[in-house]
Amino acid sequence: MARNTRERILAAALELFNTFGEPNVTTNRIADELDISPGNLHYHFRTKADLIGTLFARYEQRMLELLATPSDGTPHIEDIWLFLHLVFETIGDYRFLYRDLTDLCARHRRLHQHFQGILKLSMQTARDLCDGLAEVGQLDASSRELEALVRNIVLVATFWIAFDQVLDRDSEPRPDRAVWQVLSLVSPFLVGTAREELGALSESYW
Amino acid sequence: MARNTRERILAAALELFNTFGEPNVTTNRIADELDISPGNLHYHFRTKADLIGTLFARYEQRMLELLATPSDGTPHIEDIWLFLHLVFETIGDYRFLYRDLTDLCARHRRLHQHFQGILKLSMQTARDLCDGLAEVGQLDASSRELEALVRNIVLVATFWIAFDQVLDRDSEPRPDRAVWQVLSLVSPFLVGTAREELGALSESYW
């Protein structure tokens, strides 16, 4: 039963943080939402930072599992497309982290360090996928172009949620559009069948 | 003298907001920094929101002036390079806006509306510049590629500061790197002399 309350608190916190932004949600509001006393919430999570830390750990675990997968074998555009969908669904599920990323990182040192780790791993994964495509003759870019490309991929992947939110308030996250945004960065460097594959995938998207 | 105090408050607020992030700076701290009483600050700016609004209006004026300039005549890569430098210097000068953009927009409706206007105008400017390059045969992209390109240009331009801050805390803003990040998005679509021109410019950057 205690376990169940803990899970309910986490689910309510995630939902409220995602909807209103973490800075605008107090632990009292989360307790209110669940119709439990602030003391009961406090028993499970001593501070709001504990709550954020636990949600972040779950997000991090999902991201690390995802980022560990795409390294085996020759990459195909269709696999990369699916991989990005899973990444952007995870980001959408924990979008409060991305909404106020700079401030969360400034306030929570441990979260910042771990997030930096995820960004660096994401850049490594993007680089590996590009290198893999280049090795089988499906991508053509100079090392300088590749460096800028990898940085832009991770920048766009990290901030598409914040961009959507500012440009078009109250919109739901659109992982499908984010996939397209990121693949459109890679698209001009694709050659051969990868280019055709992406063309076909983008047709089904539009 | 009163006018002078008002300007000193604005300068100190901008400096503190940029350094520590707007959510972490109270008006009392700004008064402390200037060695004036909170009442004196309050006389010039009734609320922190007034202070933010005045700083935003100055930022907006600079941006609107910049975004109005590049439309006349055939665009050259070197002019676009310079234009982006000026834009990114302005963004760097008011970087607190970009650090906590989603939250500022959620808390200040007027700021949000005006910022949306700047984003839309930026997209229009990016589109005009690309169309201009295409008309003189220096850019080759399909309409779908162009749409994704324009969106990515404005996304990268808007969030390079936040990205730098999270990836490499305490770093100074790097407008020169931001220019390169944005032009590397356009680069694969350039043809003819524009491509050579950008190559030469990027040599001098590296």
Side-chain angles (χ1 to χ4, degrees):
Chain A
M1 186 62 189
R3 174 79 193 154
N4 194 12
T5 304
R6 191 182 150 84
E7 285 305 318
R8 282 176 58 221
I9 293 168
L10 286 168
L14 181 59
E15 174 79 22
L16 289 169
F17 289 166
N18 280 343
T19 308
F20 300 107
E22 176 275 330
N24 306 312
V25 177
T26 61
T27 50
N28 279 355
R29 181 160 177 191
I30 300 165
D32 264 5
E33 183 76 18
L34 291 167
D35 211 10
I36 63 175
S37 71
N40 193 357
L41 189 145
H42 183 78
Y43 167 80
H44 292 283
F45 297 96
R46 246 175 10 90
T47 63
K48 192 175 165 187
D50 290 343
L51 202 42
I52 294 167
T54 305
L55 289 173
F56 180 81
R58 293 187 175 191
Y59 150 82
E60 188 182 30
Q61 197 188 341
R62 257 176 77 177
M63 280 299 269
L64 293 181
E65 277 167 20
L66 277 173
L67 291 169
T69 41
S71 51
D72 40 328
T74 308
H76 289 284
I77 285 295
E78 200 157 349
D79 302 333
I80 297 175
W81 178 278
L82 178 65
F83 164 69
L84 287 173
H85 257 284
L86 295 172
V87 166
F88 291 145
E89 269 168 33
T90 304
I91 290 176
D93 286 349
Y94 290 88
R95 58 189 176 277
F96 80 96
L97 294 170
Y98 289 83
R99 181 186 177 280
D100 297 296
L101 188 57
T102 356
D103 197 48
L104 276 169
C105 286
R107 283 189 283 125
H108 303 280
R109 177 185 293 263
R110 221 181 102 81
L111 186 153
H112 191 187
Q113 287 168 343
H114 282 239
F115 202 90
Q116 283 178 326
I118 287 174
L119 286 184
K120 280 170 191 168
L121 188 58
S122 302
M123 293 218 250
Q124 191 54 55
T125 303
R127 165 76 66 159
D128 289 347
L129 288 171
C130 289
D131 285 347
L133 287 169
E135 266 168 40
V136 292
Q138 308 233 324
L139 185 139
D140 183 21
S142 72
S143 67
R144 192 172 293 175
E145 284 171 327
L146 209 58
E147 197 182 314
L149 174 61
V150 162
R151 203 177 164 89
N152 278 331
I153 287 173
V154 178
L155 196 161
V156 169
T158 306
F159 291 104
W160 63 277
I161 286 241
F163 189 66
D164 276 6
Q165 188 124 30
V166 171
L167 201 60
D168 185 17
R169 195 191 346 213
D170 302 327
S171 65
E172 283 294 297
R174 289 280 307 271
D176 55 335
R177 194 159 69 184
V179 173
W180 175 248
Q181 279 302 117
V182 166
L183 283 180
S184 73
L185 297 169
V186 185
S187 156
F189 299 106
L190 293 180
V191 285
T193 55
R195 196 177 188 88
E196 292 155 31
E197 245 187 286
L198 180 59
L201 281 166
S202 74
E203 281 307 322
S204 70
Y205 164 71
W206 286 89
Chain B
M1 187 60 189
R3 175 81 194 150
N4 195 13
T5 303
R6 190 182 151 82
E7 283 305 317
R8 281 177 58 223
I9 293 169
L10 285 168
L14 182 59
E15 174 79 23
L16 290 170
F17 288 167
N18 280 343
T19 308
F20 300 106
E22 176 274 330
N24 307 311
V25 177
T26 61
T27 50
N28 280 355
R29 181 159 176 191
I30 300 166
D32 264 5
E33 183 76 19
L34 290 167
D35 211 11
I36 64 175
S37 70
N40 193 355
L41 188 143
H42 183 78
Y43 168 80
H44 293 283
F45 297 95
R46 246 175 10 89
T47 62
K48 193 176 164 188
D50 289 343
L51 202 42
I52 293 167
T54 306
L55 289 173
F56 180 80
R58 293 188 176 190
Y59 150 82
E60 187 181 30
Q61 196 187 342
R62 256 177 76 178
M63 280 300 270
L64 293 181
E65 277 167 20
L66 277 172
L67 290 169
T69 41
S71 52
D72 40 330
T74 308
H76 289 284
I77 286 295
E78 199 156 348
D79 302 331
I80 297 175
W81 178 278
L82 177 65
F83 163 69
L84 286 173
H85 257 284
L86 297 172
V87 167
F88 291 144
E89 269 168 31
T90 304
I91 289 176
D93 287 349
Y94 290 88
R95 59 188 175 279
F96 80 96
L97 294 170
Y98 289 84
R99 179 186 180 280
D100 297 295
L101 187 58
T102 357
D103 197 49
L104 276 168
C105 287
R107 282 189 284 125
H108 303 280
R109 177 185 293 260
R110 220 182 103 82
L111 186 152
H112 190 187
Q113 286 168 343
H114 283 239
F115 202 90
Q116 283 177 326
I118 288 175
L119 287 185
K120 280 168 191 168
L121 189 57
S122 302
M123 294 219 250
Q124 191 54 53
T125 304
R127 163 79 63 161
D128 288 348
L129 288 171
C130 288
D131 285 348
L133 287 169
E135 266 169 40
V136 292
Q138 308 232 324
L139 185 138
D140 183 21
S142 71
S143 68
R144 193 173 291 175
E145 285 171 328
L146 208 59
E147 197 182 312
L149 174 62
V150 162
R151 202 176 165 90
N152 278 330
I153 286 173
V154 178
L155 196 163
V156 169
T158 306
F159 290 104
W160 63 276
I161 287 240
F163 189 66
D164 276 7
Q165 189 125 28
V166 171
L167 201 60
D168 184 17
R169 198 199 335 224
D170 302 329
S171 65
E172 283 295 298
R174 289 281 306 272
D176 56 336
R177 196 159 68 183
V179 174
W180 176 248
Q181 279 301 116
V182 166
L183 284 180
S184 73
L185 297 169
V186 185
S187 155
F189 299 105
L190 293 180
V191 285
T193 55
R195 195 176 186 88
E196 292 155 30
E197 243 187 286
L198 180 58
L201 281 166
S202 74
E203 281 307 323
S204 70
Y205 164 72
W206 286 88

